[in-house]
């Protein structure tokens, strides 16, 4: 599909620190690139580290009453936005503006600048809201303490400083409100890592694809197992395609697979998951169903037609020698 002549789209992040904005930006960008779009993330924090450095960017740098620091942060945001505009003007399809953008004034200025530079571009705000202290604290420890801002800093001191940074942002933070920012504003609000999603004025193919992706995004770590079906009759006979059942060796494999996952539930990576959280996705092929049949009592089982192997047409059931 040719996406070079499509309307430009800007997705601008919004929200307090430690709410997963950068994770959303990077993950969404990978998805858009996978779809075939020329997409790029413009992270204001990267510009800040490049322009200002990291040694001075502790909590006081984000104090809204610190006029000198505010001017420096505005400069970094300006540089990032200018690069974003240039990217879209030179062939980019989707630009993701990753920053806090916590005030209505800042957001309306971004909207104004975009309309002046690229009147045809569409702007969607993506606001990440999280009031779960456990999630926020986990994000601070997992992501923020490994940030270049705190390289070489004691973890406890870094965590304390970052909490102060959040408090500084909270003093001026304004959630997106159509009553203030206009009825025609387009936004997606992700609340408490996806427990609730609100949206407004989201229309069109790509915006709806993005919403669908975000609704199915999981931020918690979870194991993923990729498993082949057991040996089937056609595999044994070196035949292509077909829909045959397991051989005796295939049945032994299925039994061993069941035992493996039982152990994973007791002592492995699945031990902390409830049965309702463990899902098996399989094709509708006979061999695949026979492979997981023994596990359907312990896990949720989903048969999906789109996981079936590609139809080989006239070659179905032939050996490799016959195809040659």
């Amino acid at each position: 599909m040719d996406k070079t002549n499509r309307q430009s789209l800007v997705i601008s992040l919004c929200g307090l620190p430690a709410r997963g904005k950068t994770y959303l930006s990077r993950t969404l960008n990978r998805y858009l690139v996978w779809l075939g779009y020329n997409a790029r993330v413009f992270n204001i924090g990267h510009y800040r580290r490049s322009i200002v450095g990291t040694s001075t960017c502790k909590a006081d740098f984000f104090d809204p009453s610190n006029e000198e620091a505010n001017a420096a942060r505005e400069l970094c945001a300006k540089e990032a936005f200018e690069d974003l505009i240039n990217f879209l003007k030179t062939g980019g399809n989707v630009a993701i503006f990753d920053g806090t953008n916590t005030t209505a004034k800042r957001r309306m200025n971004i909207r104004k600048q975009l309309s002046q530079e690229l009147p045809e571009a569409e702007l969607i705000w993506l606001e990440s809201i999280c009031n779960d202290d456990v999630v926020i604290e986990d994000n601070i420890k997992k992501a923020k303490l490994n940030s270049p801002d705190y390289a070489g800093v004691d973890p406890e001191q870094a965590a304390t400083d970052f909490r102060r940074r959040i408090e500084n942002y909270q003093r001026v933070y304004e959630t997106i409100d159509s009553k203030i920012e206009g009825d025609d504003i387009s936004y997606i609000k992700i609340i408490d890592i996806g427990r609730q999603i609100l949206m407004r004025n989201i229309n069109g193919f790509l915006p709806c694809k993005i919403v669908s992706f975000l609704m199915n995004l999981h931020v918690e770590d979870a194991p993923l197992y990729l498993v082949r079906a057991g040996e089937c009759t056609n595999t044994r006979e070196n035949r292509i395609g077909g829909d045959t059942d397991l051989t005796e060796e295939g049945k032994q494999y299925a039994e061993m697979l069941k035992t493996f996952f039982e152990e994973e539930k007791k002592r492995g990576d699945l031990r902390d998951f409830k049965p309702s959280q463990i899902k098996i996705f399989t094709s509708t092929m006979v061999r695949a169903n026979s492979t997981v049949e023994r596990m359907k009592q312990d896990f949720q089982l989903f048969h999906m037609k789109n996981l079936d192997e590609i139809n080989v047409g006239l070659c179905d059931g032939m050996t490799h020698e016959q195809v040659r």
Side-chain angles (χ1 to χ4, degrees):
M1 183 184 296
D2 181 19
K3 300 177 175 65
T4 57
N5 296 318
R6 292 182 177 273
Q7 178 185 24
S8 300
L9 173 63
V10 176
I11 301 168
S12 188
L13 276 290
C14 165
L16 292 168
R19 266 58 177 183
K21 297 184 301 299
T22 296
Y23 170 80
L24 289 171
S25 297
R26 291 175 178 174
T27 307
L28 181 57
N29 187 69
R30 286 197 296 269
Y31 174 65
L32 292 169
V33 170
W34 178 76
L35 287 177
Y37 291 91
N38 184 8
R40 188 178 300 173
V41 176
F42 296 84
N43 180 282
I44 298 175
H46 291 170
Y47 283 80
R48 170 176 55 78
R49 296 181 192 104
S50 176
I51 297 171
V52 182
T54 59
S55 60
T56 59
C57 294
K58 298 304 180 278
D60 291 343
F61 184 80
F62 302 91
D63 186 335
S65 62
N66 186 336
E67 295 184 4
E68 183 179 353
N70 283 342
R73 288 192 287 124
E74 285 295 331
L75 173 63
C76 298
K78 180 175 179 290
E79 292 276 346
F81 196 74
E82 287 177 353
D83 284 351
L84 179 152
I85 294 295
N86 185 61
F87 168 71
L88 293 176
K89 285 183 175 180
T90 54
N93 302 133
V94 185
I96 302 175
F97 194 45
D98 181 13
T100 52
N101 299 314
T102 46
T103 65
K105 180 180 178 181
R106 160 72 77 84
R107 293 191 293 270
M108 286 189 284
N109 283 339
I110 289 172
R111 192 177 180 185
K112 180 180 178 181
Q113 291 175 47
L114 183 63
S115 65
Q116 291 173 345
E117 295 285 347
L118 290 169
E120 76 285 357
E122 181 178 2
L123 173 63
I124 297 176
W125 290 98
L126 176 55
E127 182 174 11
S128 182
I129 301 170
C130 185
N131 299 310
D132 188 326
D133 292 336
V134 174
V135 173
I136 295 169
E137 195 64 25
D138 186 60
N139 195 16
I140 291 173
K141 292 178 180 178
K142 282 185 177 180
K144 299 307 177 183
L145 298 192
N146 295 319
S147 165
D149 289 347
Y150 296 107
V153 179
D154 176 77
E156 285 302 318
Q157 293 179 358
T160 298
D161 183 85
F162 195 83
R163 293 186 195 102
R164 287 181 55 219
R165 183 191 296 193
I166 295 174
E167 291 172 0
N168 281 331
Y169 274 103
Q170 285 174 324
R171 289 163 56 186
V172 295
Y173 174 57
E174 299 169 309
T175 188
I176 294 174
D177 186 347
S178 60
K179 294 179 181 177
I180 297 174
E181 300 177 54
D183 288 336
D184 58 341
I185 189 172
S186 298
Y187 65 71
I188 305 166
K189 294 190 180 190
I190 300 179
I191 302 171
D192 288 335
I193 60 171
R195 295 190 181 104
Q196 184 180 10
I197 294 182
L198 305 176
M199 65 193 80
R200 180 184 180 90
N201 291 330
I202 302 298
N203 303 290
F205 173 77
L206 183 56
C208 290
K209 290 283 286 186
I210 290 170
V211 169
S212 177
F213 175 76
L214 294 172
M215 290 178 69
N216 290 281
L217 189 63
H218 298 280
V219 298
E220 300 98 339
D221 293 335
L224 174 67
Y225 302 85
L226 300 177
V227 180
R228 290 289 303 271
E231 182 190 61
C232 67
T233 305
N234 271 15
T235 303
R236 168 67 64 87
E237 297 176 357
N238 200 28
R239 294 183 182 276
I240 298 172
D243 193 14
T244 56
D245 208 345
L246 300 179
T247 62
E248 287 303 315
E249 286 78 4
K251 293 175 183 177
Q252 292 176 19
Y253 168 84
E255 195 62 45
M256 293 173 66
L257 191 65
K258 177 177 181 291
T259 301
F260 169 79
F261 280 112
E262 286 175 345
E263 289 298 313
E264 288 292 281
K265 281 182 63 180
K266 292 177 183 178
R267 289 176 285 274
D269 290 338
L270 298 177
R271 64 185 181 277
D272 296 326
F273 290 84
K274 300 176 183 177
S276 61
Q277 295 176 302
I278 304 173
K279 300 177 175 64
I280 297 177
F281 297 93
T282 181
S283 73
T284 63
M285 310 298 286
V286 171
R287 60 183 178 274
N289 290 324
S290 296
T291 301
V292 299
E293 177 70 20
R294 296 159 178 79
M295 294 184 282
K296 67 180 182 181
Q297 301 298 326
D298 301 315
F299 306 100
Q300 291 190 67
L301 188 58
F302 298 88
H303 302 283
M304 304 181 69
K305 186 70 177 174
N306 57 354
L307 292 179
D308 288 358
E309 66 179 24
I310 297 174
N311 192 311
V312 293
L314 295 175
C315 297
D316 190 56
M318 292 183 180
T319 65
H320 289 276
E321 290 299 323
Q322 289 173 328
V323 172
R324 292 192 188 98

